[in-house]
Amino acid sequence: MKDSPIYLNFEDDASKIANSGRWSALNEKIISLTSNCDAGNGWQVQLFAALCYQIFSEYRRLKDGFEAEVVDPSEMAWRARNLLELSVWSIFFTKSRANAWRLYEEAGRDAMNIFDEFQRWGQSSGQQADWLSNINIGKSELSIRAANEGIDSLDGKYMRVEAAAEICGLKDMFKIENKTLSKFAHPTALQILGTVDDEKQRLQRDTFYNHGCCHFINAFNALESCAPLIGERLTTS
């Protein structure tokens, strides 16, 4: 696998993002945006910076694990899958201010869904009233925080990443990549019963590293190309 031109292409292109100074330049852009946004538009910069941080962190863990040659294929698949999802959210974010706001809202909605699940479990399992009361307090406080951020409601199901992929025209790519990487990232029957040998593990690690590098590149390119427009968005609805 390592002799494959395609494999070397993704690995080299991903490394060049850091070594060429593009990574540092994007960090400098984040610092500049942070110093020039106001309270009403800081959410965009916060979200942009968070996406950048996440893709940088996941790629670094992917690369460190690969170079250490001690990480099993399932962890490489997990990192690659995380970068796949981050690439979809990054591209979704860059499409429009409305998309960016929807993604920003989702953080609160994700948290509310966790509270809802605990509440349903508490009611079905007969938990004490004070336990359920604490859940309700947490939900109320979360709703207040969301309202202070200009989010009208956290009701409803959170947006799944496959829905964002479809909006971005990435439905088919996401479906096959997510299916493949998930089979090895989780302890599926395939993963549990698959024959293990050094050569197969090396091939899997190389393949998942290649996929992860590809998704990191896609995410970084999307955010880098969007960076000059963030300043305009701060003053344009």
Side-chain angles (χ1 to χ4, degrees):
M1 184 69 179
K2 208 161 187 180
D3 294 331
S4 164
I6 294 178
Y7 174 82
L8 292 175
N9 226 12
F10 285 135
E11 178 184 359
D12 289 347
D13 286 350
S15 294
K16 287 176 183 176
I17 286 175
N19 297 334
S20 67
R22 293 171 63 193
W23 186 317
S24 297
L26 194 55
N27 279 327
E28 290 298 320
K29 181 64 176 177
I30 292 170
I31 293 172
S32 175
L33 289 169
T34 301
S35 64
N36 288 296
C37 66
D38 59 39
N41 288 306
W43 66 270
Q44 284 191 78
V45 178
Q46 179 187 353
L47 180 53
F48 179 73
L51 283 167
C52 290
Y53 172 79
Q54 290 291 330
I55 67 167
F56 291 163
S57 297
E58 285 295 337
Y59 170 68
R60 176 55 63 191
R61 295 186 183 106
L62 178 85
K63 184 177 176 66
D64 287 349
F66 181 76
E67 292 178 345
E69 297 185 355
V70 295
V71 179
D72 64 90
S74 64
E75 184 164 342
M76 301 300 290
W78 179 257
R79 297 297 178 196
R81 185 177 179 274
N82 287 348
L83 284 162
L84 167 66
E85 294 197 15
L86 285 167
S87 72
V88 171
W89 288 125
S90 295
I91 293 168
F92 179 81
F93 167 83
T94 66
K95 292 293 184 182
S96 69
R97 181 185 172 98
N99 279 9
W101 179 250
R102 176 64 190 273
L103 180 55
Y104 186 75
E105 286 182 320
E106 290 305 292
R109 195 164 286 115
D110 279 349
M112 187 64 77
N113 271 235
I114 294 173
F115 278 125
D116 288 341
E117 289 301 319
F118 271 105
Q119 186 176 52
R120 278 190 283 271
W121 174 81
Q123 291 169 342
S124 65
S125 61
Q127 297 300 309
Q128 296 180 357
D130 59 344
W131 190 92
L132 291 169
S133 177
N134 287 333
I135 297 295
N136 288 327
I137 290 172
K139 292 177 65 174
S140 177
E141 290 177 348
L142 182 61
S143 294
I144 292 171
R145 286 173 56 193
N148 289 337
E149 292 288 329
I151 299 171
D152 295 331
S153 172
L154 295 177
D155 294 337
K157 193 71 174 175
Y158 60 87
M159 173 179 276
R160 301 185 68 87
V161 65
E162 52 263 39
E166 184 170 6
I167 290 171
C168 296
L170 302 171
K171 178 182 177 181
D172 292 338
M173 181 281 293
F174 177 82
K175 185 175 181 180
I176 190 169
E177 276 289 275
N178 186 57
K179 176 69 72 174
T180 301
L181 294 171
S182 295
K183 290 297 182 184
F184 292 90
H186 303 291
T188 61
L190 175 65
Q191 178 75 328
I192 294 169
L193 296 173
T195 303
V196 178
D197 61 65
D198 290 344
E199 180 60 24
K200 180 177 288 187
Q201 284 199 326
R202 186 191 68 81
L203 179 60
Q204 289 175 350
R205 290 177 69 252
D206 287 357
T207 300
F208 300 146
Y209 180 59
N210 180 37
H211 284 230
C213 287
C214 177
H215 299 313
F216 166 71
I217 292 167
N218 289 338
F220 184 91
N221 286 343
L223 293 172
E224 182 185 48
S225 65
C226 178
L229 304 177
I230 297 295
E232 295 180 19
R233 285 195 191 172
L234 296 181
T235 57
T236 306
S237 61

